[in-house]
Amino acid sequence: MGSIVFGCLLPHGFEILEPLAGSDPVLMARTRESARVLGEQMRRAAPEVIVVLTPHGTRAEGQFTVSNAERMRGTVEAHGAAVTLERPVDRGFAQAIAQQAQAGGLRVALLNYATSEGPLSCLPLDWGALIPLHFMPDVPVVVINPPRGTDFEPHLQFGAALAQAATTGHRRVGLIASCDWSHTHDEAGPYGHHPSAALLDAQVVALLEAGDLEDLGGIDPQHVETAKPDGLWQALVLAGAIPRPGRQVQVLSYEAPTYFGLLCAAVTPGEPEGPG
């Protein structure tokens, strides 16, 4: 029987990747080390496929988008350096997730590009997926982009559908919620400074430390607007996929070395299966 064997929240700032850190390798060093730890935990869990929930990539208003190409490939560039990553897509599992979610009344789009199969069937791997995957075992992936909005119930439902697809499809699944948090920590940043950034990120850390992922959906919408996090939607899908009881959350680190918050956390299901 399949199941979700390990989950985590990981950010996607470019400088987390050491080759892209430029002249200040300590800028996101704490997050980088936590990402390495989460990568090792994922390896020990031995997933057959990794699902990445990203806020970037191809978005469709009001729909969950699910990668359904043969492969995904992307490049991230910063400080005169570049990192490229390519992964095959587990198309059977992508289709199973979509079918399970659609059966529950959710709006889902399966995405492909150019040809239905073959070497031209390749979607871009955005930085929200590429950066977390850089630390992870080399297994097939499915990349999902949840819709934005203030109604979070569909995200919990989609997470439950994803978990059900893992069970019925006999897949050992690793799940990554790629989440940067508030983007208004620094006046010099592109969104300026707002005091709600520190308040919202502190609330997120407290909720995660308490294991209350579902309560992320209750954060004041005005704070969401002014703090500008991009993690709520992915984290709530993860909450639906790895529900209480038995869920354990370990916050490894939080920092805001630039204008946005970076948080790393492991989310362990109750009684995960062993390899085999």
Side-chain angles (χ1 to χ4, degrees):
M1 178 179 291
S3 67
I4 296 176
V5 295
F6 182 72
C8 59
L9 291 93
L10 265 170
H12 46 262
F14 286 17
E15 290 87 355
I16 298 170
L17 300 188
E18 196 162 4
L20 305 185
S23 61
D24 190 2
V26 302
L27 179 68
M28 297 183 182
R30 187 181 181 197
T31 296
R32 186 180 306 126
E33 180 56 30
S34 294
R36 288 172 177 155
V37 170
L38 291 171
E40 286 303 313
Q41 290 178 316
M42 184 73 83
R43 285 181 180 85
R44 290 197 295 270
E48 299 168 298
V49 56
I50 293 176
V51 175
V52 186
L53 306 161
T54 175
H56 304 298
T58 303
R59 295 165 62 176
E61 192 70 26
Q63 297 186 68
F64 294 86
T65 65
V66 180
S67 61
N68 187 36
E70 290 276 349
R71 58 194 175 93
M72 301 186 75
R73 177 183 171 88
T75 299
V76 176
E77 300 181 25
H79 304 293
V83 172
T84 297
L85 194 69
E86 181 174 329
R87 291 287 185 269
V89 176
D90 186 335
R91 300 184 74 179
F93 188 51
Q95 293 162 16
I97 294 169
Q99 291 166 5
Q100 188 71 41
Q102 289 166 343
L106 298 174
R107 297 180 63 197
V108 182
L110 283 164
L111 302 179
N112 203 342
Y113 176 78
T115 59
S116 59
E117 57 186 21
L120 294 179
S121 175
C122 181
L123 285 168
L125 192 65
D126 73 272
W127 66 97
L130 186 155
I131 290 170
L133 284 172
H134 180 83
F135 297 93
M136 297 294 150
D138 186 357
V139 298
V141 302
V142 175
V143 176
I144 296 171
N145 190 298
R148 303 263 180 145
T150 56
D151 180 8
F152 298 116
E153 186 58 33
H155 298 75
L156 295 169
Q157 293 173 0
F158 187 91
L162 195 163
Q164 184 59 42
T167 299
T168 58
H170 305 290
R171 294 291 203 284
R172 293 179 57 82
V173 178
L175 181 57
I176 301 171
S178 179
C179 305
D180 288 344
W181 294 95
S182 296
H183 282 61
T184 56
H185 283 282
D186 189 343
E187 188 64 46
Y191 308 103
H193 174 266
H194 198 283
S196 62
L199 295 173
L200 187 145
D201 282 9
Q203 186 176 1
V204 168
V205 171
L207 288 172
L208 289 174
E209 288 178 337
D212 295 333
L213 273 69
E214 292 83 356
D215 291 347
L216 292 167
I219 292 176
D220 186 339
Q222 185 58 44
H223 283 176
V224 174
E225 176 63 28
T226 55
K228 302 190 184 308
D230 73 0
L232 290 176
W233 301 269
Q234 303 84 257
L236 285 162
V237 173
L238 187 148
I242 306 178
R244 302 183 183 104
R247 178 178 65 207
Q248 296 183 8
V249 181
Q250 179 189 14
V251 175
L252 276 68
S253 63
Y254 170 82
E255 61 178 343
T258 62
Y259 65 93
F260 55 96
L262 307 171
L263 184 149
C264 293
V267 183
T268 308
E271 300 182 0
E273 297 179 345

